[in-house]
Amino acid sequence: MAAVSRRNFLTHASAGVAAGVATAGGLTAIGGLTAARYTSPAPASGLQPLGEHMIVHVRDVATGEISIMAGTSEIVYRDSEVVARLLQGARQAQSAAGTT
Amino acid sequence: MSSHREAPEISKDPVADNTDTYAFVSPDAPDTVTLITNYVPLEGPAGGPNFYEFGNEDVLYRINVDNDGDAEPDVIYEFQFKTTVRNPGSFLYNTGQVTSLDDPDWNRRQFYSVKRIRDGRGTVLGSNLASPPCNIGPRSTPDYEANLGLPAVHSLDGGVKVFAGQRREGFYVDLGSVFDLADLRPFQKAHLISTEPALGVDATKAVNVHTIAIQVPITHLTRDGSRPKRPQDAKAVIGVWGSASRRKSRVHDEEGEGEAEAGPWVQVSRLANPLFNEVIVPMGRKDRWNALPPRRDSEFLQYVQHPELARLLPVLYPNVFPNLAAYAKERADLVAILLTGVPTGVVSPDFQNFTGTRPADMLRLNVAIQPNQGPPTATNVLGILGGDLAGFPNGRRVFDDTVTIELRAVAGATIPLVDKSFTPDAAAGVVSDFVYPPIATSTLPAQIPDILKDRYLTRFPYLGVPLNGFSTPAT
């Protein structure tokens, strides 16, 4: 699998926000981060771009706490399922980069 | 230094590094207050080809004013900058002489907006305001002040003036002596590691800085919109601090084509009283101090009550500060100067800048104190310590000798204001960061000592014309 690109990450993440940043359904587009393994149930082509950067920060893996920053706003919520998927993707990225 | 590179993290982020903050009743417009915050420390005037500038949209600059003593900002002036490049195909800052703010030969320009936020409501006071270029040299930026500096003073509605751009550094200090185990010139003979005395060195005389200055009617700042006349009036005191914030997250792009930023603004630098974070706050907590608002300063109260420098002076200058060495009480004098303001009657029946018991690092300015008091109270760079109630720590003027004032205060000169049982050591009244002789007797016919005059202006924005890079050695 290709190394995770931060630019790609942003592209995919930005596409997802219009579906609702506070819902797991909207966040599933983040699965595009590791597209070879995770596929989004929502077609990315149907989503509207946010028009500004969105950055997602996993604040606490143990509690599933995620921070979504878009524009000058931030929302924090918990979704252990999404965090688990991101964690798997992160481990895969580490593996691809030879850091583990 | 006052707050130049004073904390580990901000020392790596010059455009957000708030180096000095000033607040004073304008000497040539006494119905107004001038508020100044400086950024980008120690600019070598020849530092091209990418000359100094403010953060480009990625830094939010603020001047904060508390007018009811709760250490929360009641009035905020917010500044944001945008950079434009005329010709990205050239490596040059300017492609010819720059003789006006819209000169086509000026390649990289900055414009800014000013917003006032009061009671949670924002009002744009000005937008697309031009900053002047850096002072490159007599060929690139001839007649700098007339062509570029003065035109960059913008008059806005409501009697507001604003300026944002390069100025000459106004803060003066013998840096080398301070950081070499406080071997204060010319007192080296008395130092633990004794050397022959020599005059002090003005370490910042050849550098520039980036200044954000705004002059506003006093009535824009006070809690009820009044223009207080009595210094004893609680409404006459405002608390002021500068700050800079960055977005909460930033992702660098591996193609070098810009960064992605998102999230709310997070404070990365602040400044009110000079030297507070630099000298009072310990290394391990300086970055945290920069991130916190003044209302959280009770966390740092212990460092004011028992300052490290007061313990060091008697060690570095054996037998010079015996009374200071024996003083074990909390430093209520420093708490008043730096964190609460001075109550009525402590210095004079006609002076106070007390904002309440909540400890918060703010410059506290009593706007009812007139800037030019006249004889017998002459303007004195030692401010209140020199009998001049219009100077630091009543706000701060651009020429105040804040290093000497704070050094003497820490050395014990101000303890008798709150503890009559204490007798200061003789040295506490003369110790100085000596950059020009003789400062202690500056009873001035003019506002400032001759030796410092070229560093300042007698009009807004009061900080002097920036040194040009051609004539000022980069060394």
Side-chain angles (χ1 to χ4, degrees):
Chain A
M1 174 191 164
V4 174
S5 155
R6 285 176 292 191
R7 173 177 284 180
N8 289 342
F9 171 70
L10 283 168
T11 303
H12 287 289
S14 295
V17 74
V21 294
T23 66
L27 279 170
T28 52
I30 295 173
L33 171 65
T34 52
R37 184 174 179 129
Y38 306 111
T39 54
S40 168
S45 59
L47 302 176
Q48 296 300 311
L50 185 62
E52 54 189 349
H53 294 297
M54 181 180 93
I55 297 175
V56 177
H57 174 216
V58 178
R59 292 162 61 107
D60 189 335
V61 168
T63 63
E65 195 170 272
I66 302 171
S67 163
I68 300 176
M69 290 163 274
T72 56
S73 58
E74 178 182 28
I75 185 170
V76 178
Y77 79 108
R78 290 181 180 177
D79 189 327
S80 296
E81 186 182 334
V82 168
V83 170
R85 294 169 65 201
L86 288 170
L87 196 59
Q88 275 188 280
R91 287 191 173 124
Q92 200 163 351
Q94 282 182 322
S95 178
T99 56
T100 56
Chain B
M1 297 219 280
S2 176
S3 184
H4 304 56
R5 301 170 48 79
E6 94 290 352
E9 281 304 311
I10 200 63
S11 68
K12 302 160 196 162
D13 188 4
V15 300
D17 186 351
N18 191 176
T19 63
D20 278 291
T21 297
Y22 305 93
F24 52 92
V25 177
S26 314
D28 53 342
D31 286 334
T32 70
V33 162
T34 298
L35 307 169
I36 300 174
T37 52
N38 285 350
Y39 296 86
V40 196
L42 304 175
E43 296 179 4
N50 293 292
F51 285 93
Y52 309 92
E53 60 189 21
F54 292 103
N56 176 28
E57 300 183 281
D58 56 350
V59 180
L60 180 68
Y61 299 96
R62 279 181 164 173
I63 296 174
N64 309 277
V65 179
D66 166 36
N67 58 26
D68 57 11
D70 62 0
E72 302 270 7
D74 299 296
V75 183
I76 300 169
Y77 293 97
E78 204 170 83
F79 299 79
Q80 274 196 284
F81 294 80
K82 186 176 179 64
T83 307
T84 63
V85 178
R86 287 186 196 272
N87 178 11
S90 171
F91 77 93
L92 293 166
Y93 183 81
N94 56 297
T95 54
Q97 285 202 326
V98 180
T99 57
S100 70
L101 292 177
D102 57 358
D103 194 307
D105 289 326
W106 181 15
N107 198 21
R108 189 176 173 92
R109 301 178 296 161
Q110 283 204 307
F111 299 89
Y112 63 100
S113 63
V114 190
K115 183 194 286 184
R116 179 180 64 219
I117 302 170
R118 180 157 190 159
D119 301 325
R121 291 192 301 274
T123 305
V124 176
L125 301 181
S127 57
N128 208 33
L129 304 168
S131 286
C134 289
N135 195 355
I136 311 301
R139 288 150 203 81
S140 293
T141 49
D143 204 359
Y144 181 89
E145 194 65 358
N147 288 336
L148 304 163
L150 264 174
V153 174
H154 302 285
S155 292
L156 308 178
D157 289 345
V160 176
K161 284 184 187 174
V162 68
F163 171 90
Q166 193 179 44
R167 291 284 95 184
R168 186 166 176 187
E169 176 61 83
F171 177 69
Y172 48 94
V173 61
D174 186 348
L175 274 182
S177 74
V178 169
F179 293 135
D180 191 16
L181 292 176
D183 188 16
L184 303 172
R185 289 179 270 226
F187 304 107
Q188 301 105 303
K189 201 78 173 172
H191 195 275
L192 183 65
I193 305 168
S194 180
T195 55
E196 287 303 309
L199 283 178
V201 174
D202 184 356
T204 57
K205 72 177 180 184
V207 298
N208 295 323
V209 73
H210 262 59
T211 291
I212 295 174
I214 188 166
Q215 187 172 83
V216 301
I218 288 171
T219 53
H220 289 198
L221 301 176
T222 51
R223 71 181 73 162
D224 61 356
S226 67
R227 164 76 163 93
K229 298 290 186 185
R230 292 179 56 251
Q232 296 86 352
D233 188 343
K235 291 183 295 191
V237 181
I238 58 172
V240 178
W241 70 100
S243 63
S245 301
R246 283 191 175 279
R247 300 289 282 278
K248 192 164 185 176
S249 63
R250 184 181 212 185
V251 177
H252 294 275
D253 177 67
E254 54 269 82
E255 303 293 328
E257 295 176 354
E259 298 90 11
E261 296 186 321
W265 295 101
V266 175
Q267 182 179 293
V268 296
S269 178
R270 66 162 158 143
L271 186 64
N273 283 295
L275 303 167
F276 191 97
N277 200 23
E278 174 128 351
V279 173
I280 299 288
V281 180
M283 183 77 75
R285 307 202 68 193
K286 287 178 187 291
D287 293 332
R288 178 173 173 77
W289 184 89
N290 262 332
L292 293 180
R295 68 174 182 276
R296 301 275 299 275
D297 279 343
S298 57
E299 279 193 31
F300 306 96
L301 177 61
Q302 60 183 304
Y303 308 119
V304 178
Q305 292 171 327
H306 301 284
E308 184 179 12
L309 183 58
R311 297 196 302 274
L312 284 173
L313 283 173
V315 175
L316 294 172
Y317 292 89
N319 306 314
V320 174
F321 297 101
N323 296 348
L324 178 66
Y327 196 75
K329 297 179 190 174
E330 292 175 351
R331 292 296 300 273
D333 57 323
L334 299 179
V335 171
I337 292 169
L338 300 172
L339 292 178
T340 65
V342 179
T344 302
V346 173
V347 170
S348 151
D350 299 322
F351 177 76
Q352 60 91 21
N353 64 355
F354 186 65
T355 55
T357 55
R358 171 180 280 192
D361 175 35
M362 301 188 289
L363 282 177
R364 289 171 171 82
L365 174 66
N366 188 319
V367 298
I369 304 285
Q370 287 299 294
N372 301 306
Q373 300 161 77
T377 309
T379 298
N380 192 308
V381 293
L382 293 179
I384 291 177
L385 222 52
D388 177 2
L389 298 179
F392 183 78
N394 181 26
R396 181 187 176 191
R397 300 170 298 196
V398 290
F399 51 78
D400 283 336
D401 187 355
T402 51
V403 178
T404 295
I405 295 167
E406 291 191 353
L407 193 54
R408 290 185 184 183
V410 169
T414 51
I415 295 176
L417 292 173
V418 297
D419 184 352
K420 304 296 183 196
S421 70
F422 180 79
T423 302
D425 299 297
V430 296
V431 68
S432 167
D433 182 62
F434 242 47
V435 296
Y436 55 94
I439 59 168
T441 56
S442 294
T443 48
L444 306 166
Q447 289 185 351
I448 48 180
D450 285 344
I451 198 163
L452 292 173
K453 272 184 176 163
D454 62 345
R455 294 175 85 132
Y456 309 106
L457 303 173
T458 54
R459 56 154 177 86
F460 183 82
Y462 304 102
L463 289 167
V465 179
L467 298 163
N468 78 68
F470 182 80
S471 307
T472 310
T475 52

